[in-house]
Amino acid sequence: MSEVQFLPASESALLVQFASSAAELRPDTIQRVHRLLSLLDHSPLPGMIEFTPSYASILVEFSVNALTMEDVESHIRFCLEQIGQIELAPQETKEIPVFYGGEYGPD
């Protein structure tokens, strides 16, 4: 399991990075992102504003009037200790039909 990096993105945002390059991406990376996101959604610190996930990271935005960067990192580290206890809901596949040309109009 690769080491998580904490990178200040601004004075009010912390990037939690599970992989820093495409070569480091593994199949379980997105699962770790989703598990941490679930933990943060269910137990945010007062002052945490928004969580923006990507394939290999989460941007955590917070109020500088309520929290410090260290408070946010400490809480995320605590959540990471609990990450193995989170069960994710099964993924649902949705089919979106796409139509081209003919009676559906020009491409």
Side-chain angles (χ1 to χ4, degrees):
M1 191 174 286
S2 64
E3 186 66 30
V4 176
Q5 293 183 319
F6 296 90
L7 306 168
S10 73
E11 67 179 13
S12 62
L14 181 66
L15 184 66
V16 182
Q17 194 170 49
F18 290 92
S20 59
S21 70
E24 292 180 9
L25 284 176
R26 295 189 326 265
D28 69 324
T29 302
I30 190 70
Q31 295 295 320
R32 292 178 70 205
V33 168
H34 282 266
R35 283 188 170 95
L36 179 58
L37 184 62
S38 179
L39 283 165
L40 292 172
D41 280 340
H42 288 93
S43 63
L45 288 178
M48 287 184 162
I49 298 169
E50 189 169 353
F51 312 116
T52 308
S54 74
Y55 285 109
S57 63
I58 300 175
L59 182 68
V60 178
E61 296 177 73
F62 60 93
S63 169
V64 294
N65 296 324
L67 296 168
T68 66
M69 191 80 64
E70 291 77 20
D71 294 334
V72 174
E73 183 176 335
S74 177
H75 182 66
I76 293 169
R77 286 186 185 279
F78 172 78
C79 289
L80 286 169
E81 292 173 6
Q82 314 304 314
I83 205 167
Q85 300 174 19
I86 295 297
E87 278 295 320
L88 296 175
Q91 296 296 313
E92 181 180 335
T93 301
K94 295 187 179 189
E95 188 172 319
I96 301 172
V98 179
F99 302 98
Y100 296 99
E103 65 183 270
Y104 304 105
D107 288 343

